[in-house]
Amino acid sequence: MSSVSRRSFIAGSAALASAPALGAVPTSGETDVAIIGAGAAGIAAARKVAAAGKRFALIEASDRVGGRCFTESRTFGVPFDRGAHWIHMPDINPVAKLSARAGLDIYPAPAGQKLRTGKRYAREGEMEEYLSTIVRANRAIQEAARGKVDVACAKALPKDLGEWRPAVEFVLGPYGCGKNLDDISAVDFARALERDADAFCRQGFGALLAKLATELPVQLDTPVTRIVSGRSALEVTTTRGVIYAKAAVITASTAVLAAGKIKFVPDIPKRQLDAAAKLTLGSYDHVAIELKGNPLQLQNDDLVFDKAANARTAALLANVSGSSLCLVEVAGKLGHDLSAQGDAAMFDFAQNWLAELYGADVKKAIGRTFVTRWNAEPWVLGAFSSAAPGAQGGRKILMEPVNGRLFLAGEAVHETLWGTVGGAWESGERAADAALKLVGGRR
Ligand SMILES: Cc1cc2nc3c(=O)[nH]c(=O)nc-3n(C[C@H](O)[C@H](O)[C@H](O)COP(=O)(O)OP(=O)(O)OC[C@H]3O[C@@H](n4cnc5c(N)ncnc54)[C@H](O)[C@@H]3O)c2cc1C
C-alpha cells in the first residue's frame, strides 16, 4: 500500500489526468526531483517542479504537511497556529500573494503594541521612551554590523538603556529571533528585512500553506534516511523504499542536518556542514491558553509586552482572530530551559507571568491549554535559525550545490528573510530552479 495520503493521492490522480508529468509517486522508483520535507520550502519547490512539467517525489517524515507552519482546530475549536502565525510583509510575501486564489481570508495585523508596566499599561510618555529606546538599540546593532568584525548583538547595544534594557533585549532577541542577543550575529540581525507590516490569516497561516499543497502528492510518514550521490543519479533511501532521482531539494532544518538524521554519501562538504552548524535554531514556543469572556479586556490580536525587570518575560498575543485563544510567547534561553523541563514548566511560567501582569484572578479564567515544544519535535528540533557571530556568510554557503545534484533550501537558506515562511518559500523556489536547470525542465 502506498504511503501517499488518501487526500493527496486523489488530488494527485486528478492532476495526472490533466498534466501527465505531475504524478502520484510510488515509494520506490525513478523521478526527476526528490524533494525532502513538505514544509514551506518543500511545497514551494514541488509546485515549481510541477509547473515545469517534471516528475517529483515530495517526501515528508511526519504525518502532515506544513512543517513549522501548521494549523489545527481540534484543541480549541478555532484555528490554532502551532508554529508560524504572522504573515510578514504581506505585500511582498510570496505565500500571502497566493492566498486570494486559495480562498482564505487575510487581514492586516493591528498596528502597534501595548506595554504593561506593573499592573497597568504604560502611559504615552513611557511608551514613547520605550519605542525610542528600541529604535536606538536597533540602530546601534545596524551600526555595529557595518564594522570590520562581526560581533554579538548584545555587544553592540548602547550602555545607557537603563530601566528599559530587559524589555528591549527581550523584544529584539528572544521574541524577534528566538535567541538571546549574546548568541546572535549583528550582521545577520541587520540583514534581516524589516518585518513591520504584518497580516494574519483568519483560518490560520498553516491552513493557507496546506491549501497550497492540496494538489501535491505527498509521501507522509516517510523519513529519508540516506542519500547517495552517483555520477548520473541520486539514490534516496526512505523508510519505505528507494527512489532514484536526477536531483534533490533538501529542506530539513539545519538542526536536523547537523544531527545527522540523513546520511549523505559522500558526506556533505565540511564547509557546508560547518555553515549549517553555526546557523542553529533558536527556541520559540506558544503557550496557548483559552481565556473565555475576554477577562484581560484586550482587543482582537492585541500584542502586549512587559516592562520587565529581568529576562523572565514573555509576550502575549490576545484574542487571536477574535477568538478566546491567547498565546503567551516563551522564547530564547528562558524558553529553551523551560522547554527542556517540559509542558508543565512552560505552562506554569506563562500563567504566573500573566498573573503578575493582570492579577491572580486571571488564573481562574483559564480554560483549555496547549504548549508547543518545537525543540522536541524530532524532524525540526527547534524554532528558526539565526547566525552565531561571524556566521552570516553560511547562509550563502548553504545555497551552493552539494555533491553536484543536491540543493539545500529552507528558512536558514535565505540571507534576508531567514526565520520566516516567506523566506523558506523563496529558498524552495530557488532550489527548485537550480534542480530544474540540472534536469532540463522549463524554468
Ligand atoms: C513557534 C514558531 C513561530 C513562528 N512564527 C513565525 C511567524 O509568525 N511568521 C513567519 O514567517 N515564520 C515564523 N516561524 C518560522 C517559520 O515557521 C519557519 O521559518 C518556516 O515554516 C520553515 O519552513 P521550512 O520549509 O524551511 O522548514 P520546515 O517547516 O521545518 O519543513 C521541513 C520539513 O522537512 C521534514 N523533514 C525533516 N527531515 C526529514 C527527513 N529526513 N525526511 C523527510 N522529511 C523530513 C520536516 O518534518 C518538515 O516538515 C515560526 C516558527 C516557530 C517554530
Side-chain angles (χ1 to χ4, degrees):
M1 176 67 187
S2 156
S3 64
V4 175
S5 72
R6 190 179 159 274
R7 182 198 57 154
S8 59
F9 181 78
I10 294 166
S13 311
L16 252 183
S18 54
L22 172 60
V25 188
T27 49
S28 296
E30 285 181 20
T31 192
D32 293 316
V33 185
I35 298 162
I36 290 102
I43 293 168
R47 286 171 59 106
K48 218 82 274 188
V49 176
K54 288 288 164 182
R55 297 170 303 164
F56 64 91
L58 179 55
I59 311 165
E60 169 56 48
S62 73
D63 60 359
R64 56 169 181 79
V65 300
R68 283 170 268 175
C69 184
F70 159 59
T71 310
E72 55 96 353
S73 298
R74 218 182 39 243
T75 310
F76 296 100
V78 294
F80 165 37
D81 279 319
R82 290 223 190 145
H85 180 63
W86 295 75
I87 305 176
H88 301 303
M89 298 183 297
D91 290 349
I92 58 162
N93 190 305
V95 184
K97 281 187 184 166
L98 293 165
S99 63
R101 256 185 288 159
L104 298 186
D105 179 13
I106 306 283
Y107 64 96
Q113 50 189 264
K114 291 191 161 79
L115 182 72
R116 205 73 182 155
T117 158
K119 287 198 173 51
R120 65 170 174 84
Y121 288 105
R123 302 192 176 96
E124 213 178 303
E126 292 168 320
M127 202 64 196
E128 271 170 26
E129 214 181 306
Y130 158 72
L131 292 174
S132 69
T133 311
I134 290 202
V135 171
R136 250 182 344 113
N138 228 319
R139 279 207 195 118
I141 298 174
Q142 305 280 339
E143 186 66 32
R146 285 194 282 272
K148 279 207 179 96
V149 180
D150 188 14
V151 294
C153 292
K155 267 207 161 156
L157 287 186
K159 299 273 175 282
D160 60 347
L161 298 181
E163 58 189 349
W164 297 106
R165 181 172 287 275
V168 168
E169 285 179 342
F170 172 76
V171 172
L172 300 182
Y175 180 73
C177 304
K179 286 185 190 168
N180 288 32
L181 292 176
D182 328 66
D183 299 325
I184 307 169
S185 145
V187 174
D188 207 32
F189 185 99
R191 292 217 61 191
L193 284 185
E194 280 288 334
R195 293 163 197 179
D196 52 2
D198 297 294
F200 296 121
C201 176
R202 204 170 295 283
Q203 294 84 359
F205 199 175
L208 169 55
L209 199 61
K211 196 99 192 214
L212 298 176
T214 316
E215 305 226 324
L216 302 171
V218 188
Q219 297 182 28
L220 297 175
D221 292 312
T222 309
V224 169
T225 53
R226 193 171 112 112
I227 303 180
V228 180
S229 302
R231 244 198 304 156
S232 56
L234 299 167
E235 188 185 285
V236 179
T237 305
T238 75
T239 48
R240 294 173 189 266
V242 179
I243 289 171
Y244 297 92
K246 295 176 191 155
V249 173
I250 298 159
T251 73
S253 71
T254 49
V256 167
L257 288 178
K261 292 205 165 199
I262 306 174
K263 167 122 184 83
F264 292 89
V265 184
D267 214 340
I268 298 188
K270 187 171 171 330
R271 170 182 160 74
Q272 277 155 317
L273 267 184
D274 285 351
K278 287 183 186 155
L279 290 165
T280 50
L281 305 189
S283 193
Y284 189 106
D285 281 292
H286 309 298
V287 177
I289 295 177
E290 187 180 45
L291 287 174
K292 282 217 166 118
N294 195 12
L296 308 184
Q297 299 190 339
L298 285 159
Q299 305 293 310
N300 296 349
D301 303 305
D302 260 349
L303 178 63
V304 184
F305 293 104
D306 150 39
K307 185 181 179 189
N310 55 47
R312 286 186 73 78
T313 186
L316 168 70
L317 183 67
N319 304 335
V320 171
S321 297
S323 72
S324 305
L325 177 61
C326 298
L327 305 178
V328 177
E329 311 291 61
V330 184
K333 184 169 177 344
L334 171 71
H336 182 272
D337 295 349
L338 291 171
S339 161
Q341 290 166 41
D343 286 13
M346 299 271 288
F347 174 70
D348 245 40
F349 166 76
Q351 66 161 349
N352 288 332
W353 179 74
L354 278 180
E356 268 170 40
L357 263 54
Y358 290 97
D361 276 358
V362 69
K363 292 188 182 176
K364 294 185 200 146
I366 293 177
R368 289 173 283 189
T369 63
F370 189 92
V371 173
T372 68
R373 281 171 54 231
W374 284 96
N375 300 339
E377 290 291 327
W379 298 105
V380 180
L381 300 174
F384 38 83
S385 68
S386 60
Q392 216 270 345
R395 300 198 185 275
K396 206 155 184 190
I397 292 173
L398 292 185
M399 291 176 203
E400 298 165 7
V402 179
N403 301 336
R405 296 184 172 275
L406 308 177
F407 303 93
L408 300 179
E411 56 85 14
V413 195
H414 200 294
E415 286 184 284
T416 55
L417 293 175
W418 49 266
T420 70
V421 173
W425 186 274
E426 285 190 3
S427 81
E429 290 194 328
R430 186 181 43 230
D433 269 341
L436 286 170
K437 204 167 168 190
L438 190 73
V439 306
R442 291 191 313 270
R443 292 177 65 207

